Amino acid sequence: MPGRTQRKFTDSLGKQPLADFKVGVDNAIFSVDTSQNRLLVLLVMRHQEPFLNYWGLPGTLVRQGESLEDAAYRILAEKIKVKNLYLEQLYTFGGPNRDPRESVDSFGVRYLSVSYFALVRFEEAELIADGVSGIAWYPVKDLPQLAFDHSDILAYGHRRLKNKLEYSPVAFEVLPELFTLSDLYQLYATVLGDNFADYSNFRARLLKLGFLSDTKVKVSRGAGRPATLYRFDAEAFAPFKDKPLVFI
Amino acid sequence: MPGRTQRKFTDSLGKQPLADFKVGVDNAIFSVDTSQNRLLVLLVMRHQEPFLNYWGLPGTLVRQGESLEDAAYRILAEKIKVKNLYLEQLYTFGGPNRDPRESVDSFGVRYLSVSYFALVRFEEAELIADGVSGIAWYPVKDLPQLAFDHSDILAYGHRRLKNKLEYSPVAFEVLPELFTLSDLYQLYATVLGDNFADYSNFRARLLKLGFLSDTKVKVSRGAGRPATLYRFDAEAFAPFKDKPLVFI
DNA sequence: TCAAAAGTGTTTAGGATACACCCATGC
DNA sequence: GCATGGGTGTATCCTAAACACTTTTGA
C-alpha cells in the first residue's frame, strides 16, 4: 500500500537467488462528465484468467525495447482515442503473490505492476470497442468489484488526482483550448467534492492570479447570460510552479 | 523523469515479445545534521562495474520471495543501524538502456529500478563499515558525480521530502520521543531552506494546533534559557490528516 | 553583568469565506 | 417578464509575516 510505512526489518532470507520479473503496466484513466457532475474511470472486462469476467484497469505487459511510459501510452491508445491527456506514474506494486499467475504457469516468475494515472477529456474520448471486449466508463463513486488489487490502485489514483488539481494546471490539459470559468469550476467541483469553495470566490481568486487570459469572446449555451471564453497562459503561470494550493 | 508528461503516442513495435526484468531497489536515505544545519544523504562507493569507483545510492536486486519493500529495508539494514525511520516508495525508472548491463552480460534482460526514500535520525544512525566499502553521509548541496541516474532519483527524493514535511508528521518519526521546539524548527529550517518562517511564528502556529503536548520538563543545553520538552500526540493530530500545509 | 537561547506579544496586510446583488440572454 | 446562468462587489474573519520585547539560564 502506498504511503507511510514504519516497520521492523526482516532479513532472514539468507542468500536467495534473484527473482525474475515480468512487468505490467496498469492505467487508472479518469475523466470528468461535467454534464452529470461525475468523475469517471475507464474499466475493461477481462476475457481470460485470472479474474475472468471481472472488471479491471486496462493493462498490458511491457515488451522488449519498450519503456514503461511507452507501454502505458500503448494500452491507453488501444482502448480510447483522445487528443489531449495528462499522464503520470502512480505507484509500483510488487509483492510476491499479488498475481495468481505466479503460482501456476511459471517457474518462479514474479509479476510486478507499475501503475499510471491519466486524465482525459470526456467529451472527446472515443472508446474503442473491438467487438468482444466490454469497455466502459464507471463513476468512481459506484464501482463494481475489480480484479487483482485494482481497487487499491484506483483509490490511490483518485487521491493523487485531487492533490494534483490543487496546485498544478492539469485541468487545462483536459479542457478545450477555450473554456469558460464555469467549465473550469465544474471540473474542480466534481473532482474535489462538495466542500469546495463557491463559484464567485473561485472566480475572483483565479482571475487575480493572472494566468487566464480573457479572449473577449462570448459564448451562449441555452438560457442565461453568455459566458466569456478564457485561455490558459502557460507563461504567466510559470511563477506559480512549485507553489502549493494555487487553485485550492 | 518523474512529473508531468504530455506526448504523442508511439505504437510501432508490432508484436514484440515480452521483456524479462531484474528489479533493483535504490534508496535515497536522508538525515538532518542539526548541529551543522545540513541535509545529508547516504552514498556508497561502488566496487564493481558498471560505474566502478563512482558514488551511488545504496541498492540491491530483489530476490525470490522478497517484496520490494523488504528489499528496501534489507539494503538499508546492510548499511546503517537505526531504530527509527520513515520509508516510502518514490518512483520507478525503467526505460530500456538506462543500465549499461543490459547491453553486455545478458540476453535482452532489462534492469528496472524502484526507488525508495527514507528519513533517519542522524544522531542515532550508525554506519556499518564492512572494511572495504566506502560509505558516507554527503550534504545534498555538495554532491559528487553519481552512478546511473542516481542524481535524478536524489533530486526527486529531495523534492518529495520537502513536500512531506509540509503536511505530514514525518518529522516526528525521526526526532527523539521528547524534543524541544527548536529541535523541530531546526529540522524544518534545514530541510526547507532559508525562506522559511521565523522561529516565533512557527512556534505559535504549531502550539496552537494542539498536537504537541507539553511535558513540563525543562532541559538545558549549554548557555541560554532551558527549553521545554514536547511530545507528539498522534491522536490529536488525526483531524489534520489529509489537510495540506499543516506545518508551514 | 552580559551573551545566548527560549518564549511572548503586537501590529499589519492580504486572503478566505459568505454572502447580496447586478447583468445579459432564451423562452 | 422571468427564470437561468454569468459576473461583480463588499463586510467579516483569520492567519501569515515581521519584529520588538521579556525571561531564564551559563559563564
Side-chain angles (χ1 to χ4, degrees):
Chain A
M1 210 41 240
R4 317 181 52 248
T5 32
Q6 171 93 26
R7 160 146 49 123
K8 292 285 158 256
F9 301 103
T10 58
D11 185 10
S12 51
L13 292 170
K15 276 279 178 189
Q16 288 287 109
L18 300 182
D20 287 303
F21 287 90
K22 301 290 186 193
V23 174
V25 165
D26 292 306
N27 286 351
I29 304 172
F30 295 99
S31 73
V32 178
D33 176 1
T34 38
S35 73
Q36 293 196 65
N37 280 24
R38 292 192 308 178
L39 178 62
L40 304 172
V41 64
L42 190 72
L43 298 180
V44 297
M45 173 62 80
R46 291 181 58 84
H47 291 295
Q48 72 274 39
E49 294 289 355
F51 291 99
L52 177 66
N53 291 331
Y54 276 71
W55 291 96
L57 299 179
T60 186
L61 290 168
V62 177
R63 297 177 181 170
Q64 290 182 18
E66 187 179 47
S67 75
L68 298 174
E69 202 171 295
D70 286 346
Y73 277 105
R74 174 166 57 81
I75 186 66
L76 193 141
E78 278 175 19
K79 302 300 177 187
I80 51 174
K81 269 217 282 258
V82 281
K83 287 197 292 278
N84 304 301
L85 84 162
Y86 173 83
L87 183 132
E88 98 174 19
Q89 190 185 298
L90 248 192
Y91 198 79
T92 298
F93 296 83
N97 311 318
R98 63 169 286 284
D99 190 319
R101 282 171 291 188
E102 287 174 7
S103 33
V104 285
D105 64 350
S106 67
F107 300 90
V109 171
R110 297 259 297 268
Y111 284 83
L112 179 147
S113 156
V114 180
S115 49
Y116 279 78
F117 101 102
L119 185 62
V120 304
R121 180 160 155 69
F122 177 68
E123 291 77 8
E124 85 174 23
E126 257 180 72
L127 302 194
I128 298 175
D130 56 8
V132 274
S133 62
I135 173 171
W137 289 113
Y138 269 87
V140 292
K141 301 216 168 189
D142 187 20
L143 292 173
Q145 218 203 329
L146 299 185
F148 303 106
D149 47 6
H150 286 185
S151 327
D152 294 340
I153 299 181
L154 215 50
Y156 189 50
H158 187 196
R159 227 171 66 199
R160 183 92 134 242
L161 174 60
K162 288 200 268 187
N163 284 336
K164 276 277 145 168
L165 272 189
E166 291 179 348
Y167 65 88
S168 93
V170 242
F172 307 110
E173 312 271 352
V174 114
L175 284 173
E177 196 192 337
L178 302 180
F179 53 87
T180 71
L181 280 168
S182 335
D183 289 341
L184 187 61
Y185 179 72
Q186 289 309 327
L187 199 156
Y188 270 86
T190 85
V191 174
L192 296 183
D194 292 320
N195 42 1
F196 186 58
D198 86 349
Y199 174 67
S200 90
N201 292 323
F202 178 80
R203 176 190 177 78
R205 192 156 19 84
L206 261 77
L207 287 179
K208 189 168 184 186
L209 293 172
F211 49 74
L212 297 183
S213 38
D214 187 335
T215 64
K216 308 289 185 194
V217 182
K218 310 283 180 193
V219 57
S220 201
R221 317 223 258 237
R225 177 174 173 172
T228 307
L229 287 175
Y230 288 84
R231 183 198 314 275
F232 174 65
D233 179 348
E235 292 212 3
F237 180 77
F240 299 99
K241 272 198 197 292
D242 311 315
K243 295 244 167 94
L245 302 193
V246 180
F247 296 92
I248 336 173
Chain B
M1 211 39 239
R4 317 181 53 247
T5 32
Q6 172 91 29
R7 158 145 50 122
K8 291 285 159 256
F9 301 102
T10 56
D11 185 10
S12 51
L13 293 170
K15 274 281 179 187
Q16 289 287 111
L18 300 182
D20 287 304
F21 288 89
K22 300 289 185 193
V23 174
V25 165
D26 292 306
N27 285 353
I29 304 172
F30 294 99
S31 74
V32 178
D33 177 1
T34 38
S35 74
Q36 295 196 64
N37 280 23
R38 293 192 306 179
L39 178 61
L40 304 172
V41 64
L42 191 71
L43 298 181
V44 296
M45 172 62 80
R46 292 181 57 84
H47 292 294
Q48 72 275 39
E49 295 287 357
F51 291 100
L52 177 66
N53 291 333
Y54 276 71
W55 290 97
L57 299 179
T60 186
L61 291 169
V62 177
R63 298 177 181 170
Q64 290 183 17
E66 187 180 47
S67 75
L68 297 174
E69 203 171 296
D70 286 346
Y73 277 104
R74 174 165 57 81
I75 186 65
L76 193 142
E78 277 174 20
K79 302 300 176 187
I80 51 174
K81 268 218 282 261
V82 282
K83 288 197 291 278
N84 305 300
L85 83 163
Y86 174 82
L87 184 132
E88 98 174 20
Q89 191 186 300
L90 249 191
Y91 198 79
T92 299
F93 295 85
N97 310 319
R98 62 168 288 281
D99 191 318
R101 282 171 290 190
E102 287 176 5
S103 32
V104 286
D105 66 347
S106 67
F107 301 89
V109 171
R110 297 259 298 270
Y111 285 82
L112 178 148
S113 155
V114 181
S115 49
Y116 279 77
F117 101 102
L119 184 62
V120 304
R121 180 160 156 69
F122 176 67
E123 291 78 7
E124 84 173 24
E126 257 180 72
L127 302 194
I128 297 174
D130 56 8
V132 275
S133 61
I135 172 171
W137 289 113
Y138 268 86
V140 292
K141 300 218 167 188
D142 187 20
L143 292 173
Q145 217 202 331
L146 300 185
F148 302 106
D149 48 4
H150 287 184
S151 328
D152 293 340
I153 299 181
L154 216 49
Y156 188 50
H158 188 196
R159 226 172 68 199
R160 182 91 135 244
L161 175 58
K162 289 200 267 188
N163 284 338
K164 276 277 145 169
L165 272 190
E166 290 177 349
Y167 66 87
S168 94
V170 241
F172 307 110
E173 311 271 352
V174 115
L175 284 173
E177 197 193 336
L178 302 180
F179 52 87
T180 71
L181 280 169
S182 336
D183 289 342
L184 187 62
Y185 179 72
Q186 289 308 327
L187 200 156
Y188 271 86
T190 85
V191 175
L192 296 182
D194 292 321
N195 43 0
F196 185 60
D198 86 349
Y199 174 68
S200 90
N201 291 325
F202 178 79
R203 176 191 177 77
R205 192 156 18 83
L206 260 77
L207 287 179
K208 190 171 182 185
L209 292 172
F211 50 74
L212 297 183
S213 37
D214 187 335
T215 64
K216 307 291 185 191
V217 182
K218 310 286 179 192
V219 57
S220 198
R221 317 223 259 239
R225 176 174 176 171
T228 307
L229 287 175
Y230 288 84
R231 182 199 313 275
F232 174 64
D233 180 348
E235 292 212 3
F237 180 77
F240 299 98
K241 273 197 196 294
D242 312 315
K243 296 243 166 96
L245 301 195
V246 179
F247 293 92
I248 185 308

PDB file of all heavy atoms in Angstrom, chain B residues 217-240:
ATOM      1  N   VAL B 217       8.723  19.268  31.377  1.00  0.00           N
ATOM      2  CA  VAL B 217      10.131  19.023  31.695  1.00  0.00           C
ATOM      3  C   VAL B 217      11.001  20.021  30.947  1.00  0.00           C
ATOM      4  O   VAL B 217      10.763  20.296  29.763  1.00  0.00           O
ATOM      5  CB  VAL B 217      10.537  17.593  31.278  1.00  0.00           C
ATOM      6  CG1 VAL B 217      11.993  17.342  31.659  1.00  0.00           C
ATOM      7  CG2 VAL B 217       9.619  16.587  31.932  1.00  0.00           C
ATOM      8  N   LYS B 218      11.979  20.579  31.638  1.00  0.00           N
ATOM      9  CA  LYS B 218      12.886  21.523  31.009  1.00  0.00           C
ATOM     10  C   LYS B 218      14.229  20.845  30.800  1.00  0.00           C
ATOM     11  O   LYS B 218      14.630  19.977  31.584  1.00  0.00           O
ATOM     12  CB  LYS B 218      13.103  22.752  31.901  1.00  0.00           C
ATOM     13  CG  LYS B 218      11.840  23.406  32.415  1.00  0.00           C
ATOM     14  CD  LYS B 218      11.134  24.191  31.334  1.00  0.00           C
ATOM     15  CE  LYS B 218       9.855  24.816  31.900  1.00  0.00           C
ATOM     16  NZ  LYS B 218       8.975  25.345  30.861  1.00  0.00           N
ATOM     17  N   VAL B 219      14.911  21.269  29.757  1.00  0.00           N
ATOM     18  CA  VAL B 219      16.234  20.728  29.520  1.00  0.00           C
ATOM     19  C   VAL B 219      17.165  21.866  29.127  1.00  0.00           C
ATOM     20  O   VAL B 219      16.806  22.745  28.346  1.00  0.00           O
ATOM     21  CB  VAL B 219      16.202  19.644  28.420  1.00  0.00           C
ATOM     22  CG1 VAL B 219      15.622  20.200  27.147  1.00  0.00           C
ATOM     23  CG2 VAL B 219      17.582  19.088  28.166  1.00  0.00           C
ATOM     24  N   SER B 220      18.342  21.849  29.713  1.00  0.00           N
ATOM     25  CA  SER B 220      19.279  22.943  29.483  1.00  0.00           C
ATOM     26  C   SER B 220      20.443  22.439  28.639  1.00  0.00           C
ATOM     27  O   SER B 220      21.035  21.415  28.957  1.00  0.00           O
ATOM     28  CB  SER B 220      19.784  23.446  30.835  1.00  0.00           C
ATOM     29  OG  SER B 220      20.349  24.724  30.695  1.00  0.00           O
ATOM     30  N   ARG B 221      20.710  23.129  27.554  1.00  0.00           N
ATOM     31  CA  ARG B 221      21.816  22.700  26.695  1.00  0.00           C
ATOM     32  C   ARG B 221      22.802  23.851  26.569  1.00  0.00           C
ATOM     33  O   ARG B 221      22.650  24.704  25.700  1.00  0.00           O
ATOM     34  CB  ARG B 221      21.296  22.307  25.320  1.00  0.00           C
ATOM     35  CG  ARG B 221      20.008  21.471  25.425  1.00  0.00           C
ATOM     36  CD  ARG B 221      19.983  20.304  24.513  1.00  0.00           C
ATOM     37  NE  ARG B 221      19.177  20.534  23.311  1.00  0.00           N
ATOM     38  CZ  ARG B 221      18.121  19.779  22.983  1.00  0.00           C
ATOM     39  NH1 ARG B 221      17.718  18.820  23.782  1.00  0.00           N
ATOM     40  NH2 ARG B 221      17.484  20.003  21.859  1.00  0.00           N
ATOM     41  N   GLY B 222      23.797  23.881  27.428  1.00  0.00           N
ATOM     42  CA  GLY B 222      24.764  24.969  27.396  1.00  0.00           C
ATOM     43  C   GLY B 222      24.120  26.265  27.845  1.00  0.00           C
ATOM     44  O   GLY B 222      23.278  26.255  28.741  1.00  0.00           O
ATOM     45  N   ALA B 223      24.518  27.316  27.196  1.00  0.00           N
ATOM     46  CA  ALA B 223      24.011  28.624  27.586  1.00  0.00           C
ATOM     47  C   ALA B 223      22.552  28.776  27.207  1.00  0.00           C
ATOM     48  O   ALA B 223      22.001  27.951  26.479  1.00  0.00           O
ATOM     49  CB  ALA B 223      24.838  29.716  26.925  1.00  0.00           C
ATOM     50  N   GLY B 224      21.929  29.795  27.677  1.00  0.00           N
ATOM     51  CA  GLY B 224      20.569  30.113  27.289  1.00  0.00           C
ATOM     52  C   GLY B 224      19.521  29.511  28.190  1.00  0.00           C
ATOM     53  O   GLY B 224      19.762  28.596  28.974  1.00  0.00           O
ATOM     54  N   ARG B 225      18.347  30.016  28.032  1.00  0.00           N
ATOM     55  CA  ARG B 225      17.221  29.568  28.842  1.00  0.00           C
ATOM     56  C   ARG B 225      16.890  28.119  28.514  1.00  0.00           C
ATOM     57  O   ARG B 225      16.900  27.723  27.356  1.00  0.00           O
ATOM     58  CB  ARG B 225      16.035  30.469  28.498  1.00  0.00           C
ATOM     59  CG  ARG B 225      14.753  30.107  29.168  1.00  0.00           C
ATOM     60  CD  ARG B 225      13.724  31.168  28.836  1.00  0.00           C
ATOM     61  NE  ARG B 225      12.431  30.832  29.364  1.00  0.00           N
ATOM     62  CZ  ARG B 225      11.401  31.661  29.357  1.00  0.00           C
ATOM     63  NH1 ARG B 225      11.525  32.880  28.836  1.00  0.00           N
ATOM     64  NH2 ARG B 225      10.247  31.298  29.857  1.00  0.00           N
ATOM     65  N   PRO B 226      16.578  27.330  29.508  1.00  0.00           N
ATOM     66  CA  PRO B 226      16.245  25.923  29.257  1.00  0.00           C
ATOM     67  C   PRO B 226      14.982  25.802  28.416  1.00  0.00           C
ATOM     68  O   PRO B 226      14.081  26.638  28.525  1.00  0.00           O
ATOM     69  CB  PRO B 226      15.999  25.364  30.664  1.00  0.00           C
ATOM     70  CG  PRO B 226      16.513  26.364  31.611  1.00  0.00           C
ATOM     71  CD  PRO B 226      16.504  27.683  30.932  1.00  0.00           C
ATOM     72  N   ALA B 227      14.933  24.775  27.599  1.00  0.00           N
ATOM     73  CA  ALA B 227      13.790  24.599  26.699  1.00  0.00           C
ATOM     74  C   ALA B 227      12.830  23.562  27.247  1.00  0.00           C
ATOM     75  O   ALA B 227      13.228  22.639  27.950  1.00  0.00           O
ATOM     76  CB  ALA B 227      14.282  24.171  25.325  1.00  0.00           C
ATOM     77  N   THR B 228      11.572  23.731  26.895  1.00  0.00           N
ATOM     78  CA  THR B 228      10.559  22.763  27.296  1.00  0.00           C
ATOM     79  C   THR B 228      10.592  21.560  26.360  1.00  0.00           C
ATOM     80  O   THR B 228      10.739  21.721  25.145  1.00  0.00           O
ATOM     81  CB  THR B 228       9.169  23.403  27.219  1.00  0.00           C
ATOM     82  OG1 THR B 228       9.185  24.616  27.961  1.00  0.00           O
ATOM     83  CG2 THR B 228       8.112  22.474  27.763  1.00  0.00           C
ATOM     84  N   LEU B 229      10.428  20.383  26.927  1.00  0.00           N
ATOM     85  CA  LEU B 229      10.342  19.184  26.092  1.00  0.00           C
ATOM     86  C   LEU B 229       8.887  18.917  25.733  1.00  0.00           C
ATOM     87  O   LEU B 229       8.004  18.986  26.580  1.00  0.00           O
ATOM     88  CB  LEU B 229      10.930  17.974  26.825  1.00  0.00           C
ATOM     89  CG  LEU B 229      12.447  17.964  26.949  1.00  0.00           C
ATOM     90  CD1 LEU B 229      12.904  16.779  27.795  1.00  0.00           C
ATOM     91  CD2 LEU B 229      13.088  17.900  25.569  1.00  0.00           C
ATOM     92  N   TYR B 230       8.671  18.630  24.466  1.00  0.00           N
ATOM     93  CA  TYR B 230       7.331  18.313  23.984  1.00  0.00           C
ATOM     94  C   TYR B 230       7.286  16.893  23.473  1.00  0.00           C
ATOM     95  O   TYR B 230       8.310  16.277  23.181  1.00  0.00           O
ATOM     96  CB  TYR B 230       6.937  19.269  22.860  1.00  0.00           C
ATOM     97  CG  TYR B 230       6.642  20.663  23.359  1.00  0.00           C
ATOM     98  CD1 TYR B 230       7.673  21.585  23.560  1.00  0.00           C
ATOM     99  CD2 TYR B 230       5.352  21.056  23.641  1.00  0.00           C
ATOM    100  CE1 TYR B 230       7.406  22.860  24.025  1.00  0.00           C
ATOM    101  CE2 TYR B 230       5.066  22.331  24.103  1.00  0.00           C
ATOM    102  CZ  TYR B 230       6.097  23.227  24.298  1.00  0.00           C
ATOM    103  OH  TYR B 230       5.825  24.476  24.759  1.00  0.00           O
ATOM    104  N   ARG B 231       6.079  16.405  23.360  1.00  0.00           N
ATOM    105  CA  ARG B 231       5.853  15.071  22.823  1.00  0.00           C
ATOM    106  C   ARG B 231       4.796  15.192  21.724  1.00  0.00           C
ATOM    107  O   ARG B 231       3.859  15.985  21.837  1.00  0.00           O
ATOM    108  CB  ARG B 231       5.351  14.163  23.940  1.00  0.00           C
ATOM    109  CG  ARG B 231       5.118  12.714  23.556  1.00  0.00           C
ATOM    110  CD  ARG B 231       4.205  12.021  24.562  1.00  0.00           C
ATOM    111  NE  ARG B 231       4.589  12.290  25.950  1.00  0.00           N
ATOM    112  CZ  ARG B 231       5.530  11.587  26.603  1.00  0.00           C
ATOM    113  NH1 ARG B 231       6.149  10.603  26.015  1.00  0.00           N
ATOM    114  NH2 ARG B 231       5.825  11.890  27.854  1.00  0.00           N
ATOM    115  N   PHE B 232       4.939  14.406  20.660  1.00  0.00           N
ATOM    116  CA  PHE B 232       3.958  14.435  19.576  1.00  0.00           C
ATOM    117  C   PHE B 232       2.769  13.568  19.959  1.00  0.00           C
ATOM    118  O   PHE B 232       2.930  12.413  20.345  1.00  0.00           O
ATOM    119  CB  PHE B 232       4.578  13.927  18.280  1.00  0.00           C
ATOM    120  CG  PHE B 232       3.592  13.789  17.153  1.00  0.00           C
ATOM    121  CD1 PHE B 232       2.951  14.897  16.637  1.00  0.00           C
ATOM    122  CD2 PHE B 232       3.314  12.533  16.611  1.00  0.00           C
ATOM    123  CE1 PHE B 232       2.035  14.779  15.596  1.00  0.00           C
ATOM    124  CE2 PHE B 232       2.397  12.409  15.564  1.00  0.00           C
ATOM    125  CZ  PHE B 232       1.767  13.532  15.064  1.00  0.00           C
ATOM    126  N   ASP B 233       1.581  14.121  19.843  1.00  0.00           N
ATOM    127  CA  ASP B 233       0.370  13.389  20.199  1.00  0.00           C
ATOM    128  C   ASP B 233      -0.365  12.965  18.930  1.00  0.00           C
ATOM    129  O   ASP B 233      -1.104  13.736  18.324  1.00  0.00           O
ATOM    130  CB  ASP B 233      -0.510  14.296  21.062  1.00  0.00           C
ATOM    131  CG  ASP B 233      -1.802  13.619  21.474  1.00  0.00           C
ATOM    132  OD1 ASP B 233      -2.125  12.551  20.916  1.00  0.00           O
ATOM    133  OD2 ASP B 233      -2.493  14.162  22.351  1.00  0.00           O
ATOM    134  N   ALA B 234      -0.147  11.713  18.551  1.00  0.00           N
ATOM    135  CA  ALA B 234      -0.674  11.221  17.278  1.00  0.00           C
ATOM    136  C   ALA B 234      -2.196  11.313  17.212  1.00  0.00           C
ATOM    137  O   ALA B 234      -2.765  11.630  16.166  1.00  0.00           O
ATOM    138  CB  ALA B 234      -0.226   9.784  17.033  1.00  0.00           C
ATOM    139  N   GLU B 235      -2.848  11.067  18.325  1.00  0.00           N
ATOM    140  CA  GLU B 235      -4.318  11.131  18.313  1.00  0.00           C
ATOM    141  C   GLU B 235      -4.807  12.536  18.025  1.00  0.00           C
ATOM    142  O   GLU B 235      -5.743  12.746  17.258  1.00  0.00           O
ATOM    143  CB  GLU B 235      -4.866  10.678  19.666  1.00  0.00           C
ATOM    144  CG  GLU B 235      -4.652   9.206  19.945  1.00  0.00           C
ATOM    145  CD  GLU B 235      -5.784   8.645  20.796  1.00  0.00           C
ATOM    146  OE1 GLU B 235      -6.737   9.400  21.093  1.00  0.00           O
ATOM    147  OE2 GLU B 235      -5.714   7.454  21.148  1.00  0.00           O
ATOM    148  N   ALA B 236      -4.170  13.485  18.675  1.00  0.00           N
ATOM    149  CA  ALA B 236      -4.590  14.869  18.488  1.00  0.00           C
ATOM    150  C   ALA B 236      -4.279  15.349  17.074  1.00  0.00           C
ATOM    151  O   ALA B 236      -4.854  16.328  16.595  1.00  0.00           O
ATOM    152  CB  ALA B 236      -3.915  15.776  19.506  1.00  0.00           C
ATOM    153  N   PHE B 237      -3.373  14.638  16.409  1.00  0.00           N
ATOM    154  CA  PHE B 237      -3.038  15.046  15.046  1.00  0.00           C
ATOM    155  C   PHE B 237      -4.053  14.528  14.046  1.00  0.00           C
ATOM    156  O   PHE B 237      -4.207  15.097  12.959  1.00  0.00           O
ATOM    157  CB  PHE B 237      -1.645  14.549  14.660  1.00  0.00           C
ATOM    158  CG  PHE B 237      -1.247  14.929  13.261  1.00  0.00           C
ATOM    159  CD1 PHE B 237      -0.835  16.221  12.982  1.00  0.00           C
ATOM    160  CD2 PHE B 237      -1.330  14.009  12.227  1.00  0.00           C
ATOM    161  CE1 PHE B 237      -0.488  16.593  11.696  1.00  0.00           C
ATOM    162  CE2 PHE B 237      -0.992  14.382  10.931  1.00  0.00           C
ATOM    163  CZ  PHE B 237      -0.569  15.671  10.676  1.00  0.00           C
ATOM    164  N   ALA B 238      -4.752  13.468  14.407  1.00  0.00           N
ATOM    165  CA  ALA B 238      -5.655  12.783  13.480  1.00  0.00           C
ATOM    166  C   ALA B 238      -6.504  13.713  12.611  1.00  0.00           C
ATOM    167  O   ALA B 238      -6.562  13.537  11.405  1.00  0.00           O
ATOM    168  CB  ALA B 238      -6.530  11.802  14.241  1.00  0.00           C
ATOM    169  N   PRO B 239      -7.162  14.729  13.203  1.00  0.00           N
ATOM    170  CA  PRO B 239      -8.004  15.599  12.368  1.00  0.00           C
ATOM    171  C   PRO B 239      -7.248  16.308  11.255  1.00  0.00           C
ATOM    172  O   PRO B 239      -7.857  16.802  10.315  1.00  0.00           O
ATOM    173  CB  PRO B 239      -8.573  16.629  13.360  1.00  0.00           C
ATOM    174  CG  PRO B 239      -8.098  16.255  14.707  1.00  0.00           C
ATOM    175  CD  PRO B 239      -7.240  15.064  14.625  1.00  0.00           C
ATOM    176  N   PHE B 240      -5.929  16.371  11.361  1.00  0.00           N
ATOM    177  CA  PHE B 240      -5.170  17.109  10.356  1.00  0.00           C
ATOM    178  C   PHE B 240      -4.654  16.236   9.230  1.00  0.00           C
ATOM    179  O   PHE B 240      -4.055  16.724   8.282  1.00  0.00           O
ATOM    180  CB  PHE B 240      -3.987  17.825  11.021  1.00  0.00           C
ATOM    181  CG  PHE B 240      -4.410  18.812  12.054  1.00  0.00           C
ATOM    182  CD1 PHE B 240      -4.396  18.476  13.395  1.00  0.00           C
ATOM    183  CD2 PHE B 240      -4.855  20.067  11.681  1.00  0.00           C
ATOM    184  CE1 PHE B 240      -4.800  19.381  14.360  1.00  0.00           C
ATOM    185  CE2 PHE B 240      -5.260  20.972  12.636  1.00  0.00           C
ATOM    186  CZ  PHE B 240      -5.233  20.633  13.975  1.00  0.00           C
TER     187      PHE B 240
END
